[in-house]
Amino acid sequence: MPETQLLQPDEDGINRAAELLRTGKLVAIPTETVYGLAGDATRDVCVARIFDAKRRPRFNPLIVHLPDIDAARRIADFDDAAEALAGAFWPGALTLVLPLKSSAGIAPLVTAGLATVAVRAPGHPLARDLLTRANRPIAAPSANPAGRISPTTAQHVLDGLDGRIAAVLDGGPCETGIESTIVATGPAPRLLRPGGIPAEALEACLGAPLAMPDTDAGIASPGQMRSHYAPGAALRLDADTARPGEVLLGFGEMESDLNLSRAGDMVEAAANLFGHLRALDTEGASIAVAPIPETGLGRAINDRLRRAAAPRD
Ligand code: AMP
Ligand code: MG
């Protein structure tokens, strides 16, 4: 990949960043929390590139960034609590997990196939300006390689991702420096992650306590899977061919019902994963899946397939 451009926070820099995003490239952008690795949330392949650039070994759902509540209402259903919280704390360091609208046009890889979507309107003026000009929902996890500390300056971003992304928009140091607070609304609003806005402030706004994250549940506990999309169909991994009654999800040059990537391209395979699983996941179906190499995004693909294939309760 060509060298990563450092864009200045002026008219030219913001326009260039917006243009890169509109043409499917990745740009690290300043927000008030930390720098985000931004990509077009409506295109699976752009989202796959985010995971690839970060070398993330897992497809966890990403936060979708929007300029304001009107834009967020177009992709997610706001209940009264969500309206109240967004009204009080947006733009700002609060992420809301809400039901995804069927008409949202959000790539399934953004939500890891879930029926909910995490949305945020960041308060940083450059981020807001850029999101308006990009004119589409933008997925953005923190702009650091997986397992490393979140970046709070453009230089931090370059330290970790130089040469792996198209550009960094330099907005100086982030003001808050920690990630957004995440709340899932619904009948009993829950705190999913503490962050830039204290839980007490949210509770004061709601006039009710938030349910707290379930810290007893072990990270690796299979119960965690329940929060993730898993096909209803049984899955058999490392299959060379389909057995009678099975449909085959292929990889590479082979006969199959659907193929993740005939060219064996991991970014393409990751982009297709959730859509293809869903397409093959019909009543009573059994899905055989061709072997996927454990390289690059193949690790994240296999992680998700193994969890989908694991026995369920
Ligand atoms: P990051 O993008 O690295 O700041 O992390 C995003 C966080 O939001 C992760 O902890 C996700 O698990 C959480 N998240 C995003 N979307 C959802 C969702 N639909 N349901 C629950 N949690 C979500
Ligand atoms: Mg992160």
Side-chain angles (χ1 to χ4, degrees):
M1 178 181 263
E3 145 190 356
T4 299
Q5 293 174 47
L6 184 65
L7 302 175
Q8 294 311 307
D10 52 23
E11 193 66 15
D12 280 356
I14 302 170
N15 274 333
R16 178 78 185 128
E19 183 195 327
L20 287 167
L21 288 172
R22 286 195 306 266
T23 54
K25 305 292 195 304
L26 302 184
V27 181
I29 65 168
T31 80
E32 70 276 33
T33 61
V34 302
Y35 275 73
L37 179 50
D40 185 342
T42 67
R43 293 174 58 193
D44 271 310
V45 72
C46 299
V47 184
R49 286 184 193 133
I50 294 177
F51 286 100
D52 189 46
K54 284 179 66 83
R55 299 194 169 92
R56 261 207 192 173
R58 290 228 165 138
F59 295 129
N60 39 349
L62 304 180
I63 297 169
V64 177
H65 294 71
L66 302 133
D68 53 39
I69 190 168
D70 287 334
R73 283 198 199 100
R74 287 197 277 276
I75 68 165
D77 289 324
F78 280 67
D79 61 10
D80 290 347
E83 288 286 348
L85 290 172
F89 298 100
W90 278 8
L94 174 67
T95 295
L96 297 170
V97 172
L98 305 172
L100 176 67
K101 277 202 155 82
S102 52
S103 59
I106 295 295
L109 199 53
V110 169
T111 60
L114 296 172
T116 53
V117 63
V119 288
R120 176 164 103 86
H124 196 297
L126 275 176
R128 299 185 69 188
D129 193 352
L130 177 58
L131 289 168
T132 305
R133 295 186 204 205
N135 193 29
R136 69 206 56 220
I138 293 294
S142 54
N144 52 283
R148 306 261 284 279
I149 294 171
S150 295
T152 53
T153 66
Q155 188 56 50
H156 294 165
V157 175
L158 290 173
D159 291 346
L161 296 175
D162 195 10
R164 300 187 66 79
I165 60 177
V168 186
L169 179 62
D170 190 352
C174 301
E175 227 169 74
T176 311
I178 52 169
E179 279 86 354
S180 60
T181 305
I182 306 182
V183 171
T185 61
R190 272 179 309 139
L191 183 72
L192 298 183
R193 176 177 80 183
I197 294 178
E200 291 79 1
L202 304 175
E203 290 176 330
C205 169
L206 291 171
L210 286 169
M212 289 295 146
D214 189 358
T215 45
D216 296 337
I219 303 276
S221 91
Q224 196 196 13
M225 285 183 46
R226 266 176 273 140
S227 62
H228 289 286
Y229 166 71
L235 239 68
R236 185 169 66 84
L237 306 186
D238 291 319
D240 294 325
T241 52
R243 293 173 184 160
E246 285 181 339
V247 289
L248 182 62
L249 180 58
F251 177 83
E253 209 44 70
M254 63 188 291
E255 283 289 317
S256 59
D257 293 274
L258 283 177
N259 199 308
L260 289 172
S261 169
R262 282 200 181 279
D265 173 10
M266 289 302 179
V267 171
E268 185 187 13
N272 284 329
L273 180 65
F274 288 99
H276 280 12
L277 278 178
R278 206 171 274 280
L280 293 178
D281 185 14
T282 53
E283 186 74 31
S286 219
I287 308 173
V289 187
I292 317 285
E294 279 281 320
T295 54
L297 282 181
R299 286 165 64 213
I301 295 172
N302 282 319
D303 166 71
R304 182 49 51 117
L305 287 171
R306 273 184 226 110
R307 290 197 279 154
R312 285 167 226 149
D313 37 46

